[in-house]
Amino acid sequence: MSVIHESRRARLAALLAEHDVDALLVTRGVNVRYLTGLVSSNAAVLVRDDASAVLATDSRYIESARRVCAEVEVVEDRDVVGGLVKMAERPGIEAHDMSVARYRSLDREPAAVGRLVELLRVVKDEAEIEALRTACDLTDRAFADVLGTIAPGMTEKRVARALEARMAELGADGPAFDTIVASGPNGAIPHHSPSDRPIERGDLVTMDFGALYEGYHADMTRTVAVGAVSGWQREVYDLVREAQRAGRHALAPGAGLGEVDAAARRVIEDAGYGEHFGHGLGHGVGLEIHEDPFLRPAGAGRLEDRVPITVEPGVYLPGRGGVRIEDTLVTRADGPELLTRTTKELLIL
């Protein structure tokens, strides 16, 4: 991976002149990993405008750093920020990450620079997409394996544990985020935490989960019916599926973020359920479960090629339940690549 990391640092170095700095001190752990490959709770990397770099970490990670980042100068220092900031004449810092107290402790005043590394991370290389593809495949397979065990009397917590356990058995490094299982009226809460509520016949059950694989996060949501489905449940499900299809079809390099959101949201609003869809349509995924770009009504900017992103409209009816359908996709010039392939037909268990 060293060649990939070198390329990423070179892309970052090319941006520094625009901010009148000769180096950027990268302190966000996920960004350090992106630029060097090192996973650590205490590390920072200084990337200079000539693309050379110095990585600092403490004794707990120093051997890993020397092994993983052989092409980078590595220094051992518990104070990973203080030493590195002195190695540049005009350093910049990740202002969105460094605390005011930490900034004030420095012996110089580096320039506050925006989310440069996050912007680089938006467009994924094919190695990243392959890791995401594997994470999504593990997610699909776990869902298929657990689906047949879901029945009346099974609690939300038990379903969540079963999904997470199966993903691990299949080879996931862990869950990509805290699994959501929301049954019956709890389905009206978009980010409901699984409870001891037993699933009942006639419930809709929404499951939002994903596998973590080599640092990359899958994200999928499916809503199923247990035992039977009522008229209103079928109506809302079909509506959300139609909106989700519209959102997926709107994904393309050059499409406006707000325009993609509107493509799906319009379907729900035209059916009279607009007030019951309160969150954005989707978000980027990668080394973080929620990262740029974000599909929302006020979203500025446009999609590029090779951007993994979710499409997840929902309708939530307080006291009754809800439906959300979500896929992870990758924008491509010839149409979006679908990574989560589980059927979106309404399954009645």
Side-chain angles (χ1 to χ4, degrees), residues 238-317:
D238 289 346
L239 174 63
V240 173
R241 187 176 63 169
E242 182 183 352
Q244 208 258 356
R245 183 186 300 114
R248 287 188 287 113
H249 289 174
L251 291 177
L257 302 181
E259 295 167 4
V260 177
D261 180 278
R265 193 172 302 277
R266 190 179 304 115
V267 174
I268 294 174
E269 290 176 342
D270 289 350
Y273 287 92
E275 66 180 296
H276 299 294
F277 175 28
H279 57 75
L281 180 65
H283 55 86
V285 290
L287 288 173
E288 295 179 284
I289 186 58
H290 297 109
E291 58 181 51
D292 292 324
F294 290 88
L295 303 175
R296 50 195 175 201
R302 296 189 175 276
L303 289 170
E304 300 178 69
D305 192 27
R306 302 197 320 272
V307 176
I309 197 159
T310 69
V311 175
E312 50 180 303
V315 169
Y316 312 95
L317 305 177

Side-chain angles (χ1 to χ4, degrees), residues 109-176:
E109 294 186 6
V113 176
R115 299 165 58 86
L116 291 187
V117 183
E118 284 84 355
L119 292 177
L120 292 178
R121 286 169 42 205
V122 168
V123 175
K124 305 297 190 286
D125 57 51
E126 292 300 335
E128 292 180 286
I129 293 172
E130 181 58 31
L132 273 169
R133 192 178 289 118
T134 300
C136 289
D137 178 63
L138 296 173
T139 303
D140 278 327
R141 290 166 60 192
F143 182 70
D145 291 347
V146 170
L147 195 61
T149 70
I150 300 173
M154 193 173 186
T155 67
E156 295 171 344
K157 284 183 178 178
R158 185 176 167 193
V159 174
R161 286 196 296 267
L163 287 168
E164 293 178 354
R166 189 59 185 143
M167 288 189 291
E169 290 167 355
L170 290 169
D173 298 329

Side-chain angles (χ1 to χ4, degrees), residues 193-206:
S193 295
S195 71
D196 289 320
R197 180 188 186 274
I199 293 170
E200 299 177 4
R201 177 180 172 81
D203 279 350
L204 290 176
V205 181
T206 296

Side-chain angles (χ1 to χ4, degrees), residues 22-340:
D22 62 4
L24 179 65
L25 179 60
V26 178
T27 51
R28 276 201 77 200
V30 66
N31 290 341
V32 173
R33 178 176 188 171
Y34 178 76
L35 294 169
T36 70
L38 179 67
V39 180
S40 168
S41 64
N42 187 40
V45 61
L46 184 77
V47 179
R48 302 186 181 97
D49 55 8
D50 63 359
S52 64
V54 183
L55 175 66
T57 189
D58 63 48
S59 60
R60 296 171 297 168
Y61 303 103
I62 192 66
E63 290 306 316
S64 294
R66 289 170 176 156
R67 182 179 67 253
V68 173
C69 315
E71 77 287 358
V72 173
E73 180 184 351
V74 177
V75 297
E76 182 179 342
D77 194 338
R78 184 75 180 178
D79 178 9
V80 297
V81 172
L84 289 183
V85 79
K86 299 173 183 177
M87 295 184 181
E89 293 295 325
R90 302 188 319 279
I93 59 165
E94 294 185 301
H96 56 291
D97 180 68
M98 186 173 291
S99 69
V100 173
R102 190 71 185 90
Y103 180 81
R104 288 175 174 170
S105 73
L106 302 177
D107 63 358
R108 61 176 64 189
E109 294 186 6
V113 176
R115 299 165 58 86
L116 291 187
V117 183
E118 284 84 355
L119 292 177
L120 292 178
R121 286 169 42 205
V122 168
V123 175
K124 305 297 190 286
D125 57 51
E126 292 300 335
E128 292 180 286
I129 293 172
E130 181 58 31
L132 273 169
R133 192 178 289 118
T134 300
C136 289
D137 178 63
L138 296 173
T139 303
D140 278 327
R141 290 166 60 192
F143 182 70
D145 291 347
V146 170
L147 195 61
T149 70
I150 300 173
M154 193 173 186
T155 67
E156 295 171 344
K157 284 183 178 178
R158 185 176 167 193
V159 174
R161 286 196 296 267
L163 287 168
E164 293 178 354
R166 189 59 185 143
M167 288 189 291
E169 290 167 355
L170 290 169
D173 298 329
F177 53 94
D178 291 339
T179 298
I180 295 169
V181 177
S183 64
N186 291 336
I189 306 169
H191 276 194
H192 171 71
S193 295
S195 71
D196 289 320
R197 180 188 186 274
I199 293 170
E200 299 177 4
R201 177 180 172 81
D203 279 350
L204 290 176
V205 181
T206 296
M207 290 161 279
D208 186 345
F209 63 104
L212 178 68
Y213 182 77
E214 294 185 350
Y216 286 83
H217 299 69
D219 198 356
M220 182 176 82
T221 305
R222 292 295 186 267
T223 300
V224 301
V226 177
V229 60
S230 67
W232 75 266
Q233 291 172 331
R234 172 72 70 175
E235 175 188 347
V236 171
Y237 189 93
D238 289 346
L239 174 63
V240 173
R241 187 176 63 169
E242 182 183 352
Q244 208 258 356
R245 183 186 300 114
R248 287 188 287 113
H249 289 174
L251 291 177
L257 302 181
E259 295 167 4
V260 177
D261 180 278
R265 193 172 302 277
R266 190 179 304 115
V267 174
I268 294 174
E269 290 176 342
D270 289 350
Y273 287 92
E275 66 180 296
H276 299 294
F277 175 28
H279 57 75
L281 180 65
H283 55 86
V285 290
L287 288 173
E288 295 179 284
I289 186 58
H290 297 109
E291 58 181 51
D292 292 324
F294 290 88
L295 303 175
R296 50 195 175 201
R302 296 189 175 276
L303 289 170
E304 300 178 69
D305 192 27
R306 302 197 320 272
V307 176
I309 197 159
T310 69
V311 175
E312 50 180 303
V315 169
Y316 312 95
L317 305 177
R320 300 175 72 185
V323 173
R324 182 166 66 257
I325 301 171
E326 175 187 21
D327 283 310
T328 297
L329 307 99
V330 181
T331 57
R332 300 284 193 181
D334 57 353
E337 177 186 355
L338 182 65
L339 299 187
T340 45

